[in-house]
Amino acid sequence: MTEDRIRLIQPVVGEEELALIDEVLKSGHMTEGPKTMEFESKFAEYVGAKHGIATTSCTTAMELSLRVLGIGRGDEVIVPDFTYPATADVVRFVGATPVLVDVSPESYNVDAEHIKEAITPRSKCVMPVSLFGNPIDIEPIEDLAEENDLYVVEDAACSAGARRGQRRTGSMVDLTCFSFHPRKIITTGEGGMVTTDSDELAELARSIKKFGMTAGAGGISTFARAGSNFKLSDVLGAIGVVQMSKIDEIISRRQELAGNYDELLDRVSGVVPPKVDDGVRHVYQTYAARITVEKVRDRLISDLEKKNIETQIGTYSLHMQPSFSPVPKSGDLETARMLFENLLAFPLSHYMTEEDQEFVVTSFKELLEKNQANG
Amino acid sequence: MKIAVFCATGFIGQNIVEKLKSEGQDFISTDFADSPSEEEIDYRRVDILRFLGRAVRYRSSKPRTP
Ligand SMILES: Cc1ncc(COP(=O)(O)O)c(C=O)c1O
């Protein structure tokens, strides 16, 4: 057993972030200000979008996006069943109806075929999720959205820096939402961002996230519409600015560690590593492999924990959560159930070593065999 | 007693219409789009939510195409 716990993920933060936070504190400007604006423009440029609008989380970024599009009562929004509950909850929060659809067993993402089955005249928007750092297969989805007059709001909480061919997550759809929670690619502690190419949507988003304000004559604000407060403090914006200088290094390290797991797991039966399409830049916010034997995953998580190895489930199948029992579902959602019960997220910490990875996979193999033998 | 189904072309509405039809219930359904069913059902094309929504200033800029 190793001395230290092998962590699922660890934020890559240090002296540089502290120095910039210090600058913010000394400036006396602690609400949203120049540092958050710098973070917004650096992030938007990185994802190839015209605008970045910082928020307090990905959840508030998604709520803001739906409010900007005027989605509400009587509207349906198509959401994958295999995602974090926040994706569908924001739909309910704005008063619209989420319709849950199944996902692909290979990419874990929602695909155009499943979306198509749930489209009705009341469908207003589709919210595909680029899960775990793997970008959605955008072309068939955007064709479908175009044909059916649907907005696309992407939940890219886990996928900052992902790419499909030349197309970057953050500039593929109407509005893209990112998370800067500590389990994400870059972090500000808590935080989120909406990116868009639309001047009109960006202006509306900036107003709604700031009490519905617009600039008025003589520097006195005008309140043009109902709004909220989703502003990101400059203390956190400063962390974001520094994190942007590290993002590619963080992603490279995650890809390197994922490649090691691919090789190590190739020698283990009973587990399928995540599949990546050609030409895709998967950023591996999560390295989630599928255990092919049903009903052993949960025991593996607790057995690995005893060896000081932190693992996790992939994510949730919403229709299996009590909160989603009254929500409409399209089809049997069997793939989402299977992934919820059988995906295992391996530790992928920036600071872990190859020896750590070997120890993880050796322990995993041993425990998988033991659990299989015990039925 | 006649049953009224609102939002009949929506995901839930379509399921309700199917169910009521299979049970042979006496119902009328309404929504803003064309009839959700090819078979004969008592359907009125009217957007009740839009009438309600007139009280609300900010609605989507995206037009609904029935
Ligand atoms: C797919 C997905 N969407 C949304 C969220 C919520 O992000 P945040 O914590 O920034 O609100 C998460 C968080 O885990 C997530 O995994």
Side-chain angles (χ1 to χ4, degrees):
Chain A
M1 186 160 124
T2 51
E3 293 269 310
D4 297 312
R5 188 153 186 251
I6 299 179
R7 303 292 303 271
L8 196 61
I9 191 163
Q10 277 171 290
V12 184
V13 287
E15 293 301 323
E16 292 154 293
E17 280 83 355
L18 277 175
L20 213 58
I21 290 171
D22 192 48
E23 200 183 293
V24 172
L25 298 186
K26 285 177 180 150
S27 78
H29 191 104
M30 287 176 66
T31 180
E32 187 167 286
K35 290 290 177 267
T36 298
M37 279 168 68
E38 187 182 342
F39 178 38
E40 289 178 330
S41 62
K42 283 198 152 88
F43 191 85
E45 190 189 341
Y46 182 79
V47 303
K50 199 165 169 193
H51 302 279
I53 301 106
T55 59
T56 50
S57 68
C58 181
T59 305
T60 51
M62 293 189 291
E63 180 186 335
L64 180 62
S65 298
L66 296 183
R67 293 203 184 278
V68 161
L69 297 174
I71 288 166
R73 215 157 287 284
D75 297 328
E76 290 172 5
V77 179
I78 299 167
V79 179
D81 188 55
F82 190 57
T83 183
Y84 198 68
T87 323
D89 273 337
V90 295
V91 178
R92 299 199 283 187
F93 248 53
V94 302
T97 304
V99 177
L100 303 175
V101 301
D102 215 346
V103 296
S104 147
E106 271 101 38
S107 69
Y108 316 148
N109 287 339
V110 69
D111 48 33
E113 286 91 278
H114 285 109
I115 294 169
K116 196 172 181 180
E117 285 164 20
I119 295 175
T120 75
R122 287 205 165 269
S123 307
K124 200 74 166 288
C125 179
V126 50
M127 288 182 76
V129 182
S130 286
L131 208 58
F132 306 150
N134 189 24
I136 47 168
D137 187 6
I138 181 62
E139 276 181 19
I141 295 177
E142 72 188 350
D143 289 349
L144 196 63
E146 182 81 34
E147 273 164 39
N148 293 278
D149 213 2
L150 302 175
Y151 289 115
V152 184
V153 173
E154 180 184 354
D155 176 348
C158 315
S159 297
R163 258 199 317 261
R164 181 169 286 271
Q166 294 305 309
R167 300 188 68 181
R168 283 180 270 179
T169 298
S171 48
M172 301 197 293
V173 302
D174 295 307
L175 297 146
T176 311
C177 305
F178 294 91
S179 172
F180 307 121
H181 178 273
R183 239 201 99 181
K184 302 305 189 290
I185 300 293
I186 58 165
T187 184
T188 56
E190 293 284 351
M193 186 88 70
V194 179
T195 58
T196 182
D197 280 334
S198 159
D199 297 341
E200 192 191 337
L201 296 180
E203 192 186 328
L204 206 48
R206 288 190 204 288
S207 171
I208 294 174
K209 79 165 229 186
K210 198 175 174 186
F211 314 111
M213 254 184 216
T214 52
I220 298 172
S221 300
T222 303
F223 294 87
R225 55 185 62 82
S228 190
N229 179 0
F230 299 147
K231 286 177 286 147
L232 185 74
S233 158
D234 247 24
V235 180
L236 303 183
I239 303 176
V241 168
V242 180
Q243 289 276 290
M244 285 314 293
S245 66
K246 301 178 177 175
I247 187 167
D248 280 321
E249 179 202 329
I250 293 171
I251 292 170
S252 297
R253 180 72 186 131
R254 302 192 74 72
Q255 289 174 324
E256 187 184 358
L257 292 166
N260 295 342
Y261 273 137
D262 282 346
E263 275 180 35
L264 291 165
L265 288 174
D266 201 35
R267 295 172 225 150
V268 184
S269 62
V271 60
V272 182
K275 182 179 167 288
V276 186
D277 289 344
D278 289 342
V280 158
R281 187 196 200 203
H282 191 317
V283 294
Y284 293 104
Q285 176 263 347
T286 294
Y287 186 93
R290 182 164 61 83
I291 315 297
T292 57
V293 192
E294 294 263 348
K295 302 203 186 319
V296 300
R297 195 273 319 272
D298 293 356
R299 257 179 292 149
L300 281 171
I301 291 177
S302 56
D303 287 355
L304 285 161
E305 188 60 54
K306 289 181 198 135
K307 287 179 173 277
N308 258 344
I309 300 169
E310 184 185 14
T311 55
Q312 253 293 358
I313 67 166
T315 192
Y316 295 88
S317 172
L318 302 189
H319 79 281
M320 296 171 74
Q321 300 302 316
S323 155
F324 290 92
S325 62
V327 168
K329 295 137 192 112
S330 169
D332 64 8
L333 307 174
E334 178 52 23
T335 303
R337 181 216 52 87
M338 182 276 288
L339 295 172
F340 166 57
E341 291 181 347
N342 298 308
L343 282 190
L344 181 72
F346 282 70
L348 204 82
S349 155
H350 191 80
Y351 304 106
M352 74 193 296
T353 62
E354 276 184 34
E355 289 73 45
D356 289 336
Q357 289 192 285
E358 276 162 26
F359 175 66
V360 169
V361 173
T362 311
S363 307
F364 165 75
K365 182 171 184 284
E366 177 194 308
L367 292 167
L368 181 63
E369 282 163 5
K370 186 190 95 181
N371 278 302
Q372 272 176 286
N374 294 347
Chain B
M1 184 191 68
K2 207 167 182 102
I3 299 165
V5 182
F6 300 101
C7 304
T9 68
F11 192 86
I12 298 175
Q14 288 181 18
N15 280 287
I16 293 172
V17 166
E18 283 303 311
K19 185 96 180 125
L20 292 176
K21 210 164 61 178
S22 72
E23 287 184 5
Q25 298 278 3
D26 183 18
F27 68 99
I28 175 171
S29 57
T30 76
D31 210 339
F32 62 83
D34 286 338
S35 170
S37 171
E38 277 153 30
E39 286 173 51
E40 277 301 299
I41 59 163
D42 192 357
Y43 178 80
R44 303 291 157 85
R45 192 173 146 183
V46 52
D47 189 355
I48 288 171
L49 285 178
R50 193 163 62 88
F51 295 145
L52 289 172
R54 287 207 173 141
V56 181
R57 189 167 164 211
Y58 287 94
R59 288 185 57 78
S60 170
S61 52
K62 189 124 181 165
R64 281 193 166 127
T65 41

